[in-house]
Amino acid sequence: MLLLMAVIDKEEDKQKFEELYYKYRDKMWYSANRILNDSQAAEDAVQEALFGIARNISSIKDVDSKMTFAYVTTAAKNAALNIAEKNKAVIIDITQISSISHDNSESLFNALETNDYVDRILKTIPEKYRQVMYLRFVQELKINDIASLLGESNAAVRQQIKRGRNMFIDAYRKGEKS
Amino acid sequence: MKQSDIDELLRQALEREKDRELSQIPDKEEIGHVFSPEFDKKAKESFSRHANKIDRINTFGRRAAVFFVTIAVALVVMMTARSNIKQNPDFSYVIKWHQIDISDNYKYSGGIIEQVYELSAVPDGYSLKLCSEYPSKTIYLYENDGKEFTIEQTIPGRMTIQIAEAETEIENLEINGIEVLSFISEKINLNYYFWYEDGYPFYLSAPYDIGDGIASEVIGNMVEKTSSSTTQ
C-alpha cells in the first residue's frame, strides 16, 4: 500500500485516492469475491486493482460519481478474473448463472431487438472482454488508459475489445438471420 | 442493421449490465467484510504518513515556496564540553526559529569529530556513492537508481537547527526508539531528519517519497567506524 501512494505525484490526487479507497474498498472486495469466492484472494485482487487506479487517479474527476463506482469495481473484477485465471479457479458469477439458466434459443430469437435479447447475447461473451469493452465503449477511456488501469499491454486490451465486439456482432447477426 | 447501430446496442447493453451489477452491490455495512489486519495496517500506515506530510506541507510548505531561498537548512553545532558527548540533548530546548540566508548554512563553532560513524547496514538496493570525512563533519551519499540520500555526522554537542521560514513547524517523531525532528522541504522535494546517536548529531536528507522508509533504516543504525570498516 505504501507503494500505492508512491505512484501518485500530486497531493490532491493522493487525497482523492485516499477518499476513493475508503469509499469503495469494501465494494471492490465484494465484486472480486463474487468471482473468486475466496476472501483473501479477493483482498489481493483489491490490492492489485488499487495499483491500477493509483496509476490513473488523475483521470478520476468525481470520486462520488457512478462512473467512478463503475470504474473501480470494473478494475476489481478484472483483477479477480486475472487471479482466477492464474489459479485456474472456476469463475463463479451468480448473476450470470441465474440469467443463463433461463436462456434458450427460442426465447432469444423471439426477443430480437429487445434489450433482453441484446443483454443475453452480451452474457455469452467472456466476462473479461465485457469489462474491457465497458471501459472502452461506455466510459470512453483510451486504450492506453485501460491498459494502465488493468496492468495489461495496449495490444492485449485492443485484442480483447476487438474479439469481444466481433463476438457480439456475429451473435447478433446470427439472430437476425434466424 | 448497420454495424454502427449494433455498436450502439452493445454500448447500451454494457451500460445496462454495469448498472445491474452496481445495483446488486450492497452497502458497506451489509457487506460486513473485515479486511485482514495486514491489509488494513498497510493502508493506515500509508495514509497516516501521507496525512502527516500534508499537514506539514499545509502549515509551511506553501509559505516556504514564496521565499527566494525556499527552505535552507543550517545545522549549527554549538560546541560544548566533552562531557556532553554521551548525553542526549533534548531537542525541544535547542530549536530556534530563524529566517536565514542560505549563506548562513553550515556554520560550526569549531571542534572535531573524534569518532566517525557509519551505517551498520545499507538499505537494500543502495550503494555508497560518496564518503567525505572532514574534521568537523562526515558526509555519506547513497544512491539507488537515481534516488539519493545523504547522512551527515557533525561534531558532538547541542544542535541548533535554523530554517529559512518563520514559524515553521517541525514534527517530533520517534523512529527506532530515537527522538527525531523532521520536516519537509516541498520546494526541493526533500525530507530532513535530525537525531542524536551516542551524543553525535546526525542528519539525513532524502527525497520526500522515500524519506520515511530510509529514515527507519538509518536512524538508530549508525555504528562506530573502525579502521577495518569498509566504506560499504
Side-chain angles (χ1 to χ4, degrees):
Chain A
M1 193 66 68
L2 290 171
L3 288 171
L4 289 176
M5 283 303 202
V7 302
I8 305 173
D9 292 329
K10 294 180 189 168
E11 285 307 320
E12 63 184 273
D13 283 342
K14 288 186 179 184
Q15 284 174 300
K16 193 198 295 178
F17 181 79
E18 184 174 351
E19 190 186 338
L20 179 146
Y21 171 83
Y22 284 115
K23 188 175 178 66
Y24 294 117
R25 67 171 190 169
D26 297 83
K27 295 185 176 191
M28 290 170 73
W29 175 87
Y30 181 85
S31 293
N33 196 46
R34 271 173 59 164
I35 291 168
L36 295 163
N37 205 23
D38 177 334
S39 176
Q40 188 57 51
E43 286 190 4
D44 292 344
V46 172
Q47 185 89 327
E48 190 62 36
L50 286 168
F51 268 106
I53 293 165
R55 281 195 296 266
N56 293 276
I57 190 72
S58 58
S59 66
I60 292 177
K61 304 300 174 208
D62 178 6
V63 170
D64 297 323
S65 71
K66 193 182 94 179
M67 289 294 264
T68 302
F69 183 18
Y71 181 85
V72 299
T73 50
T74 302
K77 275 188 90 168
N78 190 79
L81 289 166
N82 286 343
I83 290 173
E85 204 172 278
K86 274 182 202 160
N87 298 342
K88 304 282 181 206
V90 177
I91 299 172
I92 302 163
D93 186 333
I94 297 158
T95 52
Q96 198 167 340
I97 289 170
S98 59
S99 84
I100 287 172
S101 64
H102 296 296
D103 243 351
N104 62 67
S105 58
E106 191 182 358
S107 63
L108 269 181
F109 298 140
N110 287 342
L112 186 65
E113 287 187 26
T114 65
N115 288 344
D116 189 37
Y117 169 64
V118 175
D119 291 350
R120 288 179 192 191
I121 289 179
L122 189 65
K123 290 275 188 226
T124 65
I125 296 169
E127 172 89 51
K128 178 103 178 154
Y129 296 174
R130 280 155 39 209
Q131 299 305 318
V132 177
M133 284 195 296
Y134 171 80
L135 294 172
R136 180 74 186 110
F137 297 136
V138 182
Q139 297 235 347
E140 298 181 340
L141 299 183
K142 293 175 184 164
I143 298 286
N144 58 338
D145 289 337
I146 297 171
S148 173
L149 173 68
L150 306 181
E152 294 179 15
S153 68
N154 287 1
V157 169
R158 200 173 284 113
Q159 185 79 321
Q160 287 163 11
I161 291 169
K162 188 181 171 188
R163 284 182 186 166
R165 181 170 170 268
N166 286 344
M167 287 168 81
F168 182 84
I169 291 170
D170 288 349
Y172 189 85
R173 293 244 187 264
K174 273 184 194 168
E176 275 186 323
K177 286 173 190 168
S178 305
Chain B
M1 186 177 264
K2 288 190 292 185
Q3 193 150 308
S4 59
D5 293 334
I6 300 177
D7 281 341
E8 177 56 20
L9 286 177
L10 170 61
R11 193 196 67 75
Q12 289 173 5
L14 288 163
E15 193 168 15
R16 279 194 301 275
E17 182 185 52
K18 188 59 72 176
D19 284 346
R20 275 195 301 274
E21 181 190 317
L22 297 184
S23 70
Q24 288 168 359
I25 298 177
D27 290 337
K28 185 177 176 177
E29 293 72 27
E30 283 182 64
I31 293 170
H33 174 63
V34 179
F35 279 86
S36 61
E38 186 62 16
F39 188 96
D40 228 24
K41 189 181 158 205
K42 283 180 183 173
K44 281 177 183 162
E45 274 177 9
S46 177
F47 294 141
S48 70
R49 283 173 188 223
H50 169 231
N52 284 339
K53 284 171 183 171
I54 287 175
D55 288 345
R56 286 187 281 176
I57 288 166
N58 286 341
T59 52
F60 77 91
R62 288 179 191 155
R63 293 195 301 271
V66 300
F67 277 84
F68 172 70
V69 184
T70 68
I71 295 176
V73 178
L75 187 62
V76 180
V77 178
M78 310 297 286
M79 189 61 184
T80 54
R82 289 282 164 81
S83 59
N84 282 348
I85 287 179
K86 293 295 176 187
Q87 292 175 5
N88 257 3
D90 185 344
F91 285 114
S92 61
Y93 296 115
V94 298
I95 298 169
K96 285 184 180 176
W97 312 104
H98 288 293
Q99 187 174 320
I100 59 164
D101 187 86
I102 199 155
S103 60
D104 283 346
N105 278 351
Y106 305 114
K107 279 185 178 173
Y108 294 92
S109 58
I112 59 166
I113 294 176
E114 290 190 331
Q115 176 60 59
V116 174
Y117 279 66
E118 65 180 356
L119 257 182
S120 59
V122 180
D124 272 353
Y126 285 84
S127 59
L128 184 64
K129 191 174 173 186
L130 176 77
C131 173
S132 303
E133 288 187 22
Y134 303 98
S136 61
K137 61 182 173 181
T138 305
I139 302 169
Y140 297 98
L141 175 63
Y142 290 90
E143 193 262 344
N144 176 18
D145 200 21
K147 294 229 171 187
E148 296 178 341
F149 70 87
T150 305
I151 304 169
E152 184 166 330
Q153 176 194 356
T154 68
I155 54 173
R158 292 179 67 198
M159 176 163 43
T160 301
I161 303 160
Q162 295 185 321
I163 300 167
E165 170 58 52
E167 298 173 8
T168 295
E169 285 185 26
I170 291 183
E171 192 176 29
N172 287 284
L173 304 171
E174 186 174 314
I175 298 176
N176 298 330
I178 293 177
E179 189 184 357
V180 179
L181 290 174
S182 171
F183 71 91
I184 297 172
S185 167
E186 186 185 31
K187 186 74 178 176
I188 52 176
N189 187 34
L190 286 175
N191 269 20
Y192 292 92
Y193 304 84
F194 299 84
W195 77 102
Y196 284 90
E197 284 188 48
D198 292 343
Y200 282 95
F202 291 85
Y203 96 82
L204 163 71
S205 63
Y208 167 77
D209 56 341
I210 60 167
D212 286 356
I214 294 294
S216 67
E217 295 196 54
V218 167
I219 297 170
N221 293 311
M222 302 304 295
V223 294
E224 292 184 1
K225 188 175 181 179
T226 62
S227 55
S228 61
S229 296
T230 66
T231 53
Q232 303 175 58

